[in-house]
Amino acid sequence: MPEPAAATSPPSTARLWLRLTPLHLFAVVAVALCVAGGFWQLGAYESRQGDAVRESAAAAPAPIEQVWGLGRPFAADLQDRRVTVQGRFAPADQQVWVRGEISSGRTWLVAPFLVDGSDGALLVVRGSSDAPGALPPVPSGDVNLGVVLQPSQGGGLPLDADRVTTSITTPSLVNELPYRLWSGYGLVQEWTAFAGSGDPTPGFGAPVDPPDPDVSWTVGLKNLAYALQWWVFAVFAVALWWRMCRDQVEEARERHTTARQADDHPVDSLTP
């Protein structure tokens, strides 16, 4: 009977994994491509969002009566909408100061604007100053305003002796003014000529810039879905790499074990 071969030590785990270097490199490249593809699609999504914001900001204003009526609720699609209103300002002593979170530390001057063809008023922000003071005069005669619509705020305190409150809250201010109010307000952005060249302009102090238009997250949704899909592929590539490496390492160990067992128990070439 031949002598059994000397038992060989099993290969180390590090050596077995090192033998799979080409597979490791392939996995790294695949994951890198998937991650890069996801970020590229995310960038496309953000670009679509930015384009939608610019298009909304550049949209031509429409007369307020075409998009919104007195007594109607403030719909989501009205926020940041640019509209034109024609009418005249209410008396100067009906203006209010707003100082709070909404004004970011500044003091806004809010005036009721009596809209032609209605029996109500739209609250408009003429501008801002450092602190409240004496109520400034308002223009006389007809005025055409371009405003950016914003929804009514909540939590406004009642007017104090200086006609100061903390937010533009329509339900609260409607009790302070002798008009029906639109359920929102407008940030004055532009105006055209009005009667009385010596009168003050509708603006006051520093203008209040409107926020960036609110764009639905679904704009460019396909690109966002593609980004998530690429990242799922990256996770799948990692899982597949791990599975293949583990299987090949286990197979190598099983082959070594089988070979060693065959060496330990050789089979005679002759049948007894």
Side-chain angles (χ1 to χ4, degrees), residues 192-220:
T192 57
F194 52 91
S197 59
D199 290 339
T201 66
F204 168 79
V208 177
D209 295 326
D212 290 334
D214 188 18
V215 176
S216 172
W217 68 275
T218 59
V219 175

Side-chain angles (χ1 to χ4, degrees), residues 143-214:
V143 182
N144 296 318
L145 297 180
V147 302
V148 176
L149 297 177
Q150 297 294 312
S152 171
Q153 305 296 316
L157 298 178
L159 294 179
D160 61 16
D162 297 321
R163 297 189 65 79
V164 178
T165 183
T166 55
S167 68
I168 306 176
T169 306
T170 303
S172 176
L173 293 175
V174 75
N175 297 322
E176 304 288 344
L177 298 169
Y179 317 106
R180 297 175 62 197
L181 297 179
W182 266 264
S183 56
Y185 64 95
L187 301 173
V188 175
Q189 299 299 297
E190 57 187 12
W191 53 87
T192 57
F194 52 91
S197 59
D199 290 339
T201 66
F204 168 79
V208 177
D209 295 326
D212 290 334
D214 188 18

Side-chain angles (χ1 to χ4, degrees), residues 46-94:
E46 293 175 346
S47 178
R48 291 285 301 278
Q49 288 275 304
D51 291 342
V53 169
R54 287 187 288 272
E55 289 175 2
S56 178
I64 191 171
E65 59 269 15
Q66 292 185 8
V67 298
W68 190 23
L70 182 63
R72 292 172 54 190
F74 192 94
D77 61 349
L78 290 174
Q79 185 165 348
D80 305 317
R81 183 73 178 267
R82 297 174 63 209
V83 299
T84 58
V85 288
Q86 182 174 359
R88 63 188 186 281
F89 281 92
D93 59 2
Q94 293 180 357

